[in-house]
Amino acid sequence: MAFRPIRRFGDPVLRMAAEPVTVFDQRLRSIVADLLDTVDAPGHAGVAAPQIGVGVRAFSYRVDGEIGYVVNPEVVELSDEVQDDVEACLSLPGLGFETRRAQHAVVRGVNADNEPVTVSGSGLMARCLQHETDHLDGMVYIQRLDPERRREAYRQVREQSWFWQ
C-alpha cells in the first residue's frame, strides 16, 4: 500500500496502549500492508502501528531476511538469559542506548485473517519482538532504562532537532 512516516517521540500516540484488533477487514489488511511497506525500508527492523499513527495492536518486523507481522501480539515466553546491547528506535532517530532484553522471546498473535501466528527468535529478533510489543503497550524503550541512564536519554532527546516539531 504505502510507506508511512514514523511518529517521533513526544507524539501522544506513542504513549497510549494500542487497542486490540476485533474486526478483521480490509482496513486491517491496509494497515498491515502499510506496516510491511514501512518496515521494508533500509535500517528498519520493526514498526509498530502506533509509530505510523494507528492505535491498534499490530507490528511488522524485518530481521535477518525474515519479514512478517503479528496482530494482537502477546509475549508468551522470555528466556532467563539476557542480552545487553545498544537499542535504537525509529521514533528516536539518531539515538541509541544500551538496553537489557531477554536473549530469546516468543510472541503469539494472529494474522489479518485471525489465524494463529507464533514468532520466536533470539538475539536481534528477540529484541525486536520485545521492542515492538512495548510500543503497543505505550512504552518506548528508553522508559526501560535505569533512572540515571533514562535522565541522560531524555536530555539527549530534548537536544535533537526533530524534538517538538
Side-chain angles (χ1 to χ4, degrees):
M1 292 302 257
F3 175 90
R4 301 270 296 267
I6 300 294
R7 301 292 181 98
R8 294 195 173 131
F9 187 77
D11 189 314
V13 73
L14 297 175
R15 298 292 297 233
M16 298 169 43
E19 293 293 322
V21 174
T22 58
V23 177
F24 295 81
D25 59 3
Q26 185 53 44
R27 178 178 181 273
L28 174 63
R29 285 177 186 72
S30 179
I31 293 167
V32 166
D34 288 354
L35 284 168
L36 291 169
D37 286 349
T38 304
V39 81
D40 203 29
H44 295 190
V47 176
Q51 289 182 283
I52 61 170
V54 182
V56 299
R57 292 190 70 80
F59 70 76
S60 59
Y61 59 89
R62 184 178 62 116
V63 177
D64 297 330
E66 187 177 344
I67 189 166
Y69 70 94
V70 184
V71 175
N72 292 336
E74 298 295 331
V75 175
V76 295
E77 183 182 322
L78 294 173
S79 66
D80 290 334
E81 183 183 358
V82 297
Q83 56 175 309
D84 289 307
D85 204 352
V86 173
E87 191 160 325
C89 181
L90 298 170
S91 295
L92 293 156
L95 299 176
F97 301 94
E98 189 168 296
T99 306
R100 178 166 283 184
R101 296 284 189 178
Q103 176 62 26
H104 183 81
V106 179
V107 167
R108 286 198 187 116
V110 296
N111 65 17
D113 295 317
N114 202 19
E115 298 167 338
V117 171
T118 301
V119 181
S120 64
S122 297
L124 182 57
M125 179 62 91
R127 183 173 294 279
C128 177
L129 296 173
Q130 294 166 81
H131 180 109
E132 300 311 327
T133 303
D134 276 354
H135 272 303
L136 302 180
D137 294 333
M139 179 178 282
V140 178
Y141 83 99
I142 60 174
Q143 294 171 263
R144 289 197 171 275
L145 302 176
D146 66 61
E148 184 176 323
R149 290 189 320 176
R150 188 170 47 245
R151 276 191 298 279
E152 174 61 17
Y154 281 120
R155 184 190 64 72
Q156 288 187 34
V157 166
R158 287 189 302 273
E159 292 174 351
Q160 300 302 304
S161 62
W162 51 259
F163 190 60
W164 297 111
Q165 292 180 4

